Amino acid sequence: MKKGAVFVNKQPSIIVRSWRLILVFWLMAAVIFGFFASKLPSKLEGDGFRTDGDYEVVQRELHDTFNFPENTLLVLFEKAENESSESYQNQILSVLSDIEATGDPSAIDSPLENKEFMKEHVAYAAIHYDDESLEMDPVIDEVQLIIKDEEGVSITGGPVISKDINKASQDDLKRAELIGLPVALVVLLLALGTVVSSILPLIVGGVTIVIGFGILSLIADSVDLAIFILNIIPMLGLALSIDFSLLFINRYKEERSNGKTIDDALTVTIAKAGHSILFSALCVFIGLGSVLLIDIDIFKNIAIGGMTVIAIAVISSMTLLPALLKVLGDRVYKWKIIRINTDASNRWRTFAGFVMKRPVFIAIAALALLGAGIIPVKNMNLAIPEAGALPTSFESRTAYDTIEEEFRQDVASTIYAIAERDGGWLNEKGLQEMKQLQRDFEKEHHVTGAETLFSVSGVDDPSQLAAMLEHSQTAVQLQPAIDEFIKGNQLLIPVSLDVKAASDAAQTIVRDWSSVDWDIDVLFGGHPKFNQELYDEIYNKVIPVLAVILISTFFILMAAFRSVIIPLKAILMNVISLASTFGILVWLFQGGHLGLEPMDISLIMPVLVFTLVFGLSMDYEVFLISRIREFYLETRDNNYSTVEGLASTSKIITSAALIMIVITGAFAFTGVAPVKQIGIGIAIAIAIDATIVRLLLVPSLMKLLGAANWWMPFSHRNKNSPS
């Protein structure tokens, strides 16, 4: 008796018997969570690049103690070619007066007063806002309304860029859906043959995304969620839902074609396909869960969101989909507009036989192709996405680029040191320690200056400065500088560097200073510290993350297939194919090939693509090896089992991979750079996995290893005879 036959005379599974209740449950869940899902975009803010560390402490101190603004908008003024200087300055004055009249700004740095902000044909103003409770989106709308009819005036700055990224993300999601879903439907039609069966995976995927967004909307009330999840989570949830549904429906149709009743076919499918779905989902779930080890908001957000939609995708595929198949019955075969080629299995069988006759040559050729893709990895440059994440079609991006190019090319970066000393700083002992700190900072290579009371007053001797502070007249003259740099026991020292904040040199300086055991308490902030903490957090945690993924995947696959060799082989092939993917991405994005704008690789891309694709590609490994193992348990013939496993699953795996490529690859047409890189990265990785790995390496290595594929210590199956 074949393995699936044991289910025929049993009672239908509880899922099949409870299909009415299941449909009601999912309908109610979709309606309830759909209401909350609609509110999610308005709750997302920021790019998620935040970690708990000294940078956050110093930022709060700069705002609360030293009156640094909470938010700043930059207004760019570009002079028309034939415009007079008087008219130009009047426009600047008028616009800034209107902005000030709103009552929201706490201060305005005008180019009319600060000549560093003014050039002959371009100028900018900094509009500062101190109120933490102030919602910036309405403020931005108000400023945009003021400048709407002003020629050559535009706004940018962190809050504007964040708002535009949110808008771009929503537009990108709609664009990706318009591209990806119709193509996915065509692939489903080619794979399943009928309109009804092809629509079911899209229904399951849609329900998964709606409920997932609803849950995330509720989570967003207590956890800050980044804008980027608006693209990445639907990409992941929809692709997985369709993958699982495609596998389920294909197995169901196979069982029906073998003469089983609807209930029996569903029961067998839930058991067999469900086994594959659960194990593959577990691999993706653990891969994403491991990212929680990285204490950066964007990783936590994507991990929480991804784990949420994966759980929903599994549950919906195992309950909603069987219930829909039950209620449709044989109507699932209605509206057949594409005839399924019954010879497809034979062609895959022939192809598998071809590969297995030349296993050494095929394996070497496949590895050579992957090796060629790996070569550019050594040139990978990682960067934290800022304004460059936006397409140049956004005014905030072009305005930011103009300000950077015109005014900030010679301004590298600043480290803000905050030192705390019991007894204050305005006595001779405190001034001596202040001077020593200044000397310690200024002797560092790449430091161009450290601003303190000494640099402002022009007095270099602590005793002389202490004497000046004791005289009321000179003390009054120094008071503005004192108010700027000293608050009680705290001292602020801005340290200027001649290197960019993202440079290795800047990060090395602030990292070294943070590890020094200073005589007094000193904390460091500024963009160099921001970058250093993010890079260090990722680099320090990447090994534990990889260890969790690799070790857990090994044991999951070992439990699923009762083999040691197959998990090791799958993990090794995945690592090689992903390294090749990263090399291709470096060639594409850093090289600016195929019409792409040259840009560095987003800091989050390698980790996210690795964790996502490592789990996703295990879907296909589980789908394929599960069928091979079924045949092997029946025949004990490794070659026959490999060929038949490939013949029975290659079409559905190829279709599932193609849908995954279409859905994730559709984000290639989006504007937000990190999302574009992640989408293209996943699409390339899945394409490599579904072709070079799954069709060439797997059968050739299965042939070369023979019965050793199924070796398991302390198992009676090790006595199996070689094929």
Side-chain angles (χ1 to χ4, degrees), residues 591-610:
H593 293 102
L594 302 183
L596 292 170
E597 178 187 354
M599 65 183 76
D600 288 336
I601 301 299
S602 173
L603 183 63
I604 63 174
M605 191 281 295
V607 176
L608 287 180
V609 170
F610 187 95

mmCIF file with all atom_site columns, all heavy atoms in Angstrom, residues 591-610:
data_model
loop_
_atom_site.group_PDB
_atom_site.id
_atom_site.type_symbol
_atom_site.label_atom_id
_atom_site.label_alt_id
_atom_site.label_comp_id
_atom_site.label_asym_id
_atom_site.label_entity_id
_atom_site.label_seq_id
_atom_site.pdbx_PDB_ins_code
_atom_site.Cartn_x
_atom_site.Cartn_y
_atom_site.Cartn_z
_atom_site.occupancy
_atom_site.B_iso_or_equiv
_atom_site.pdbx_formal_charge
_atom_site.auth_seq_id
_atom_site.auth_comp_id
_atom_site.auth_asym_id
_atom_site.auth_atom_id
_atom_site.pdbx_PDB_model_num
ATOM 1   N N   . GLY A 1 591 ? 28.153 49.393 -9.345  1.00 0.00 ? 591 GLY A N   1
ATOM 2   C CA  . GLY A 1 591 ? 28.667 49.639 -10.687 1.00 0.00 ? 591 GLY A CA  1
ATOM 3   C C   . GLY A 1 591 ? 27.723 50.459 -11.541 1.00 0.00 ? 591 GLY A C   1
ATOM 4   O O   . GLY A 1 591 ? 28.111 50.967 -12.599 1.00 0.00 ? 591 GLY A O   1
ATOM 5   N N   . GLY A 1 592 ? 26.452 50.599 -11.096 1.00 0.00 ? 592 GLY A N   1
ATOM 6   C CA  . GLY A 1 592 ? 25.491 51.367 -11.876 1.00 0.00 ? 592 GLY A CA  1
ATOM 7   C C   . GLY A 1 592 ? 25.164 50.724 -13.215 1.00 0.00 ? 592 GLY A C   1
ATOM 8   O O   . GLY A 1 592 ? 24.941 51.423 -14.210 1.00 0.00 ? 592 GLY A O   1
ATOM 9   N N   . HIS A 1 593 ? 25.125 49.390 -13.266 1.00 0.00 ? 593 HIS A N   1
ATOM 10  C CA  . HIS A 1 593 ? 24.849 48.693 -14.520 1.00 0.00 ? 593 HIS A CA  1
ATOM 11  C C   . HIS A 1 593 ? 23.347 48.533 -14.752 1.00 0.00 ? 593 HIS A C   1
ATOM 12  O O   . HIS A 1 593 ? 22.545 48.686 -13.836 1.00 0.00 ? 593 HIS A O   1
ATOM 13  C CB  . HIS A 1 593 ? 25.532 47.323 -14.517 1.00 0.00 ? 593 HIS A CB  1
ATOM 14  C CG  . HIS A 1 593 ? 27.025 47.399 -14.546 1.00 0.00 ? 593 HIS A CG  1
ATOM 15  N ND1 . HIS A 1 593 ? 27.808 47.217 -13.424 1.00 0.00 ? 593 HIS A ND1 1
ATOM 16  C CD2 . HIS A 1 593 ? 27.903 47.668 -15.553 1.00 0.00 ? 593 HIS A CD2 1
ATOM 17  C CE1 . HIS A 1 593 ? 29.086 47.343 -13.731 1.00 0.00 ? 593 HIS A CE1 1
ATOM 18  N NE2 . HIS A 1 593 ? 29.167 47.625 -15.018 1.00 0.00 ? 593 HIS A NE2 1
ATOM 19  N N   . LEU A 1 594 ? 23.012 48.212 -15.990 1.00 0.00 ? 594 LEU A N   1
ATOM 20  C CA  . LEU A 1 594 ? 21.622 47.976 -16.420 1.00 0.00 ? 594 LEU A CA  1
ATOM 21  C C   . LEU A 1 594 ? 20.720 49.172 -16.099 1.00 0.00 ? 594 LEU A C   1
ATOM 22  O O   . LEU A 1 594 ? 19.551 49.004 -15.728 1.00 0.00 ? 594 LEU A O   1
ATOM 23  C CB  . LEU A 1 594 ? 21.064 46.695 -15.775 1.00 0.00 ? 594 LEU A CB  1
ATOM 24  C CG  . LEU A 1 594 ? 21.852 45.400 -16.063 1.00 0.00 ? 594 LEU A CG  1
ATOM 25  C CD1 . LEU A 1 594 ? 21.156 44.208 -15.447 1.00 0.00 ? 594 LEU A CD1 1
ATOM 26  C CD2 . LEU A 1 594 ? 22.039 45.198 -17.561 1.00 0.00 ? 594 LEU A CD2 1
ATOM 27  N N   . GLY A 1 595 ? 21.255 50.371 -16.224 1.00 0.00 ? 595 GLY A N   1
ATOM 28  C CA  . GLY A 1 595 ? 20.453 51.582 -16.059 1.00 0.00 ? 595 GLY A CA  1
ATOM 29  C C   . GLY A 1 595 ? 20.200 52.004 -14.633 1.00 0.00 ? 595 GLY A C   1
ATOM 30  O O   . GLY A 1 595 ? 19.455 52.961 -14.402 1.00 0.00 ? 595 GLY A O   1
ATOM 31  N N   . LEU A 1 596 ? 20.812 51.323 -13.667 1.00 0.00 ? 596 LEU A N   1
ATOM 32  C CA  . LEU A 1 596 ? 20.608 51.688 -12.266 1.00 0.00 ? 596 LEU A CA  1
ATOM 33  C C   . LEU A 1 596 ? 21.525 52.838 -11.870 1.00 0.00 ? 596 LEU A C   1
ATOM 34  O O   . LEU A 1 596 ? 22.654 52.959 -12.365 1.00 0.00 ? 596 LEU A O   1
ATOM 35  C CB  . LEU A 1 596 ? 20.879 50.482 -11.356 1.00 0.00 ? 596 LEU A CB  1
ATOM 36  C CG  . LEU A 1 596 ? 19.880 49.321 -11.458 1.00 0.00 ? 596 LEU A CG  1
ATOM 37  C CD1 . LEU A 1 596 ? 20.403 48.115 -10.695 1.00 0.00 ? 596 LEU A CD1 1
ATOM 38  C CD2 . LEU A 1 596 ? 18.525 49.728 -10.928 1.00 0.00 ? 596 LEU A CD2 1
ATOM 39  N N   . GLU A 1 597 ? 21.035 53.698 -10.969 1.00 0.00 ? 597 GLU A N   1
ATOM 40  C CA  . GLU A 1 597 ? 21.843 54.797 -10.441 1.00 0.00 ? 597 GLU A CA  1
ATOM 41  C C   . GLU A 1 597 ? 22.926 54.217 -9.535  1.00 0.00 ? 597 GLU A C   1
ATOM 42  O O   . GLU A 1 597 ? 22.627 53.435 -8.628  1.00 0.00 ? 597 GLU A O   1
ATOM 43  C CB  . GLU A 1 597 ? 20.951 55.750 -9.638  1.00 0.00 ? 597 GLU A CB  1
ATOM 44  C CG  . GLU A 1 597 ? 21.698 56.898 -8.997  1.00 0.00 ? 597 GLU A CG  1
ATOM 45  C CD  . GLU A 1 597 ? 20.816 57.721 -8.063  1.00 0.00 ? 597 GLU A CD  1
ATOM 46  O OE1 . GLU A 1 597 ? 19.595 57.459 -7.997  1.00 0.00 ? 597 GLU A OE1 1
ATOM 47  O OE2 . GLU A 1 597 ? 21.353 58.618 -7.393  1.00 0.00 ? 597 GLU A OE2 1
ATOM 48  N N   . PRO A 1 598 ? 24.214 54.553 -9.776  1.00 0.00 ? 598 PRO A N   1
ATOM 49  C CA  . PRO A 1 598 ? 25.281 54.025 -8.903  1.00 0.00 ? 598 PRO A CA  1
ATOM 50  C C   . PRO A 1 598 ? 25.043 54.442 -7.452  1.00 0.00 ? 598 PRO A C   1
ATOM 51  O O   . PRO A 1 598 ? 24.791 55.610 -7.165  1.00 0.00 ? 598 PRO A O   1
ATOM 52  C CB  . PRO A 1 598 ? 26.550 54.678 -9.463  1.00 0.00 ? 598 PRO A CB  1
ATOM 53  C CG  . PRO A 1 598 ? 26.208 55.054 -10.866 1.00 0.00 ? 598 PRO A CG  1
ATOM 54  C CD  . PRO A 1 598 ? 24.749 55.401 -10.844 1.00 0.00 ? 598 PRO A CD  1
ATOM 55  N N   . MET A 1 599 ? 25.103 53.486 -6.552  1.00 0.00 ? 599 MET A N   1
ATOM 56  C CA  . MET A 1 599 ? 24.888 53.768 -5.131  1.00 0.00 ? 599 MET A CA  1
ATOM 57  C C   . MET A 1 599 ? 25.523 52.667 -4.300  1.00 0.00 ? 599 MET A C   1
ATOM 58  O O   . MET A 1 599 ? 25.728 51.544 -4.781  1.00 0.00 ? 599 MET A O   1
ATOM 59  C CB  . MET A 1 599 ? 23.394 53.856 -4.812  1.00 0.00 ? 599 MET A CB  1
ATOM 60  C CG  . MET A 1 599 ? 22.636 52.561 -5.012  1.00 0.00 ? 599 MET A CG  1
ATOM 61  S SD  . MET A 1 599 ? 20.852 52.702 -4.699  1.00 0.00 ? 599 MET A SD  1
ATOM 62  C CE  . MET A 1 599 ? 20.314 53.540 -6.186  1.00 0.00 ? 599 MET A CE  1
ATOM 63  N N   . ASP A 1 600 ? 25.844 53.006 -3.048  1.00 0.00 ? 600 ASP A N   1
ATOM 64  C CA  . ASP A 1 600 ? 26.353 51.989 -2.131  1.00 0.00 ? 600 ASP A CA  1
ATOM 65  C C   . ASP A 1 600 ? 25.235 51.028 -1.743  1.00 0.00 ? 600 ASP A C   1
ATOM 66  O O   . ASP A 1 600 ? 24.050 51.328 -1.901  1.00 0.00 ? 600 ASP A O   1
ATOM 67  C CB  . ASP A 1 600 ? 26.928 52.645 -0.871  1.00 0.00 ? 600 ASP A CB  1
ATOM 68  C CG  . ASP A 1 600 ? 28.245 53.362 -1.143  1.00 0.00 ? 600 ASP A CG  1
ATOM 69  O OD1 . ASP A 1 600 ? 28.931 52.992 -2.107  1.00 0.00 ? 600 ASP A OD1 1
ATOM 70  O OD2 . ASP A 1 600 ? 28.570 54.303 -0.387  1.00 0.00 ? 600 ASP A OD2 1
ATOM 71  N N   . ILE A 1 601 ? 25.631 49.889 -1.228  1.00 0.00 ? 601 ILE A N   1
ATOM 72  C CA  . ILE A 1 601 ? 24.666 48.886 -0.768  1.00 0.00 ? 601 ILE A CA  1
ATOM 73  C C   . ILE A 1 601 ? 24.138 49.314 0.600   1.00 0.00 ? 601 ILE A C   1
ATOM 74  O O   . ILE A 1 601 ? 24.902 49.683 1.492   1.00 0.00 ? 601 ILE A O   1
ATOM 75  C CB  . ILE A 1 601 ? 25.330 47.500 -0.664  1.00 0.00 ? 601 ILE A CB  1
ATOM 76  C CG1 . ILE A 1 601 ? 25.892 47.067 -2.027  1.00 0.00 ? 601 ILE A CG1 1
ATOM 77  C CG2 . ILE A 1 601 ? 24.343 46.465 -0.146  1.00 0.00 ? 601 ILE A CG2 1
ATOM 78  C CD1 . ILE A 1 601 ? 24.853 46.927 -3.124  1.00 0.00 ? 601 ILE A CD1 1
ATOM 79  N N   . SER A 1 602 ? 22.825 49.271 0.753   1.00 0.00 ? 602 SER A N   1
ATOM 80  C CA  . SER A 1 602 ? 22.214 49.625 2.031   1.00 0.00 ? 602 SER A CA  1
ATOM 81  C C   . SER A 1 602 ? 22.711 48.689 3.130   1.00 0.00 ? 602 SER A C   1
ATOM 82  O O   . SER A 1 602 ? 22.824 47.472 2.930   1.00 0.00 ? 602 SER A O   1
ATOM 83  C CB  . SER A 1 602 ? 20.692 49.535 1.931   1.00 0.00 ? 602 SER A CB  1
ATOM 84  O OG  . SER A 1 602 ? 20.090 49.722 3.193   1.00 0.00 ? 602 SER A OG  1
ATOM 85  N N   . LEU A 1 603 ? 23.001 49.268 4.282   1.00 0.00 ? 603 LEU A N   1
ATOM 86  C CA  . LEU A 1 603 ? 23.564 48.509 5.399   1.00 0.00 ? 603 LEU A CA  1
ATOM 87  C C   . LEU A 1 603 ? 22.693 47.317 5.795   1.00 0.00 ? 603 LEU A C   1
ATOM 88  O O   . LEU A 1 603 ? 23.200 46.282 6.229   1.00 0.00 ? 603 LEU A O   1
ATOM 89  C CB  . LEU A 1 603 ? 23.742 49.450 6.599   1.00 0.00 ? 603 LEU A CB  1
ATOM 90  C CG  . LEU A 1 603 ? 24.385 48.888 7.858   1.00 0.00 ? 603 LEU A CG  1
ATOM 91  C CD1 . LEU A 1 603 ? 25.814 48.447 7.585   1.00 0.00 ? 603 LEU A CD1 1
ATOM 92  C CD2 . LEU A 1 603 ? 24.366 49.922 8.977   1.00 0.00 ? 603 LEU A CD2 1
ATOM 93  N N   . ILE A 1 604 ? 21.365 47.465 5.631   1.00 0.00 ? 604 ILE A N   1
ATOM 94  C CA  . ILE A 1 604 ? 20.476 46.396 6.078   1.00 0.00 ? 604 ILE A CA  1
ATOM 95  C C   . ILE A 1 604 ? 20.328 45.280 5.047   1.00 0.00 ? 604 ILE A C   1
ATOM 96  O O   . ILE A 1 604 ? 19.878 44.181 5.379   1.00 0.00 ? 604 ILE A O   1
ATOM 97  C CB  . ILE A 1 604 ? 19.071 46.944 6.410   1.00 0.00 ? 604 ILE A CB  1
ATOM 98  C CG1 . ILE A 1 604 ? 18.396 47.546 5.158   1.00 0.00 ? 604 ILE A CG1 1
ATOM 99  C CG2 . ILE A 1 604 ? 19.146 47.943 7.537   1.00 0.00 ? 604 ILE A CG2 1
ATOM 100 C CD1 . ILE A 1 604 ? 16.959 47.963 5.369   1.00 0.00 ? 604 ILE A CD1 1
ATOM 101 N N   . MET A 1 605 ? 20.703 45.548 3.782   1.00 0.00 ? 605 MET A N   1
ATOM 102 C CA  . MET A 1 605 ? 20.401 44.608 2.709   1.00 0.00 ? 605 MET A CA  1
ATOM 103 C C   . MET A 1 605 ? 21.028 43.224 2.897   1.00 0.00 ? 605 MET A C   1
ATOM 104 O O   . MET A 1 605 ? 20.316 42.210 2.820   1.00 0.00 ? 605 MET A O   1
ATOM 105 C CB  . MET A 1 605 ? 20.800 45.217 1.356   1.00 0.00 ? 605 MET A CB  1
ATOM 106 C CG  . MET A 1 605 ? 20.291 44.436 0.142   1.00 0.00 ? 605 MET A CG  1
ATOM 107 S SD  . MET A 1 605 ? 21.245 42.953 -0.256  1.00 0.00 ? 605 MET A SD  1
ATOM 108 C CE  . MET A 1 605 ? 22.819 43.672 -0.720  1.00 0.00 ? 605 MET A CE  1
ATOM 109 N N   . PRO A 1 606 ? 22.363 43.104 3.125   1.00 0.00 ? 606 PRO A N   1
ATOM 110 C CA  . PRO A 1 606 ? 22.935 41.755 3.218   1.00 0.00 ? 606 PRO A CA  1
ATOM 111 C C   . PRO A 1 606 ? 22.301 40.898 4.310   1.00 0.00 ? 606 PRO A C   1
ATOM 112 O O   . PRO A 1 606 ? 22.009 39.717 4.091   1.00 0.00 ? 606 PRO A O   1
ATOM 113 C CB  . PRO A 1 606 ? 24.420 42.025 3.504   1.00 0.00 ? 606 PRO A CB  1
ATOM 114 C CG  . PRO A 1 606 ? 24.669 43.399 2.987   1.00 0.00 ? 606 PRO A CG  1
ATOM 115 C CD  . PRO A 1 606 ? 23.400 44.144 3.241   1.00 0.00 ? 606 PRO A CD  1
ATOM 116 N N   . VAL A 1 607 ? 22.093 41.489 5.498   1.00 0.00 ? 607 VAL A N   1
ATOM 117 C CA  . VAL A 1 607 ? 21.531 40.712 6.603   1.00 0.00 ? 607 VAL A CA  1
ATOM 118 C C   . VAL A 1 607 ? 20.103 40.285 6.288   1.00 0.00 ? 607 VAL A C   1
ATOM 119 O O   . VAL A 1 607 ? 19.729 39.115 6.468   1.00 0.00 ? 607 VAL A O   1
ATOM 120 C CB  . VAL A 1 607 ? 21.570 41.521 7.915   1.00 0.00 ? 607 VAL A CB  1
ATOM 121 C CG1 . VAL A 1 607 ? 20.893 40.745 9.046   1.00 0.00 ? 607 VAL A CG1 1
ATOM 122 C CG2 . VAL A 1 607 ? 23.006 41.840 8.305   1.00 0.00 ? 607 VAL A CG2 1
ATOM 123 N N   . LEU A 1 608 ? 19.284 41.228 5.803   1.00 0.00 ? 608 LEU A N   1
ATOM 124 C CA  . LEU A 1 608 ? 17.881 40.904 5.550   1.00 0.00 ? 608 LEU A CA  1
ATOM 125 C C   . LEU A 1 608 ? 17.726 39.922 4.398   1.00 0.00 ? 608 LEU A C   1
ATOM 126 O O   . LEU A 1 608 ? 16.938 38.974 4.484   1.00 0.00 ? 608 LEU A O   1
ATOM 127 C CB  . LEU A 1 608 ? 17.087 42.179 5.266   1.00 0.00 ? 608 LEU A CB  1
ATOM 128 C CG  . LEU A 1 608 ? 16.824 43.075 6.480   1.00 0.00 ? 608 LEU A CG  1
ATOM 129 C CD1 . LEU A 1 608 ? 16.027 44.303 6.074   1.00 0.00 ? 608 LEU A CD1 1
ATOM 130 C CD2 . LEU A 1 608 ? 16.073 42.307 7.568   1.00 0.00 ? 608 LEU A CD2 1
ATOM 131 N N   . VAL A 1 609 ? 18.456 40.140 3.313   1.00 0.00 ? 609 VAL A N   1
ATOM 132 C CA  . VAL A 1 609 ? 18.349 39.215 2.173   1.00 0.00 ? 609 VAL A CA  1
ATOM 133 C C   . VAL A 1 609 ? 18.831 37.830 2.585   1.00 0.00 ? 609 VAL A C   1
ATOM 134 O O   . VAL A 1 609 ? 18.215 36.816 2.225   1.00 0.00 ? 609 VAL A O   1
ATOM 135 C CB  . VAL A 1 609 ? 19.135 39.747 0.960   1.00 0.00 ? 609 VAL A CB  1
ATOM 136 C CG1 . VAL A 1 609 ? 19.238 38.679 -0.126  1.00 0.00 ? 609 VAL A CG1 1
ATOM 137 C CG2 . VAL A 1 609 ? 18.441 40.988 0.395   1.00 0.00 ? 609 VAL A CG2 1
ATOM 138 N N   . PHE A 1 610 ? 19.915 37.769 3.356   1.00 0.00 ? 610 PHE A N   1
ATOM 139 C CA  . PHE A 1 610 ? 20.407 36.454 3.789   1.00 0.00 ? 610 PHE A CA  1
ATOM 140 C C   . PHE A 1 610 ? 19.367 35.737 4.639   1.00 0.00 ? 610 PHE A C   1
ATOM 141 O O   . PHE A 1 610 ? 19.037 34.570 4.393   1.00 0.00 ? 610 PHE A O   1
ATOM 142 C CB  . PHE A 1 610 ? 21.709 36.601 4.578   1.00 0.00 ? 610 PHE A CB  1
ATOM 143 C CG  . PHE A 1 610 ? 22.351 35.283 4.916   1.00 0.00 ? 610 PHE A CG  1
ATOM 144 C CD1 . PHE A 1 610 ? 23.331 34.754 4.103   1.00 0.00 ? 610 PHE A CD1 1
ATOM 145 C CD2 . PHE A 1 610 ? 21.959 34.548 6.037   1.00 0.00 ? 610 PHE A CD2 1
ATOM 146 C CE1 . PHE A 1 610 ? 23.922 33.525 4.394   1.00 0.00 ? 610 PHE A CE1 1
ATOM 147 C CE2 . PHE A 1 610 ? 22.532 33.328 6.336   1.00 0.00 ? 610 PHE A CE2 1
ATOM 148 C CZ  . PHE A 1 610 ? 23.518 32.816 5.510   1.00 0.00 ? 610 PHE A CZ  1
#
